[in-house]
Amino acid sequence: MTRPNPGLPAMARTQRGFSMLEILVTLFLLTMWLLASAGVQSSALKFNKAAQFRTQAVYLATDLAERMQANKTATVAGGYVYSGAAITPPNCLTAACTSAQLAQFDLAEWNGRVTAALPNATVAVTGAVANPITYTIVISWSDRRTDRTYSTSGTSESFSYTATKTILN
């Protein structure tokens, strides 16, 4: 059996091991802070990805609106009305196309870019032939919320972006 050191004050003899407890509490608090920090980083990455999808939708809708403005003849004739169905366009990169063929080429290329950039994307372009003609461009996509994949079995939320383009003839 060990005897208390008579040279130590009485208070020092009674507080042995208290420093170890302080270290354990500090390590616990540091661990909790690191876990919370990792959770904040994870949420920030998820919200950043959602913002990127919205930015892509705005960019893609603007791209189609600019294509409409450049091909005014087909736009005024209603050539850019599109339901999202598959199109087999002519190759306007190597051969000359009419304005209607160029509209089909633009829509097919644009639809491919939308589906490549946004998960589970669908598009629709509506418009009525009038003067001026106003087209409504709707881009919809799914964004994951709690699952790790873009599968339909997990929880996801649908988003859409709507833009309008008016063309005067």
Side-chain angles (χ1 to χ4, degrees):
M1 176 158 133
T2 61
R3 296 178 125 187
N5 188 349
L8 289 175
M11 184 172 234
R13 282 184 294 216
T14 61
Q15 291 188 2
R16 286 192 178 156
F18 189 70
S19 294
M20 180 63 83
L21 182 62
E22 287 177 337
I23 290 172
L24 288 175
V25 168
T26 302
L27 285 175
F28 174 76
L29 291 175
L30 183 62
T31 303
M32 290 296 112
W33 177 78
L34 287 173
L35 288 173
S37 178
V40 168
Q41 287 293 328
S42 175
S43 294
L45 287 174
K46 182 174 71 172
F47 293 134
N48 189 24
K49 191 64 171 175
Q52 180 184 5
F53 289 151
R54 286 190 296 276
T55 302
Q56 281 293 323
V58 171
Y59 168 75
L60 291 164
T62 303
D63 178 43
L64 184 63
E66 289 175 357
R67 289 173 188 242
M68 289 177 180
Q69 186 68 39
N71 189 4
K72 201 171 190 178
T73 304
T75 304
V76 171
Y80 281 92
V81 173
Y82 180 58
S83 64
I87 302 174
T88 306
N91 188 357
C92 293
L93 296 175
T94 59
C97 290
T98 65
S99 60
Q101 290 172 327
L102 182 59
Q104 293 297 306
F105 177 80
D106 285 345
L107 287 169
E109 185 183 29
W110 176 74
N111 187 33
R113 293 177 68 206
V114 170
T115 55
L118 299 172
N120 301 325
T122 59
V123 296
V125 182
T126 58
V129 178
N131 187 15
I133 184 168
T134 300
Y135 283 93
T136 303
I137 304 165
V138 179
I139 303 173
S140 302
W141 69 94
S142 300
D143 190 9
R144 65 180 174 195
R145 285 295 164 213
T146 59
D147 61 344
R148 303 290 258 167
T149 63
Y150 288 111
S151 67
T152 56
S153 62
T155 303
S156 65
E157 189 173 348
S158 296
F159 293 93
S160 68
Y161 176 74
T162 303
T164 57
K165 177 65 177 173
T166 302
I167 304 288
L168 298 170
N169 57 351

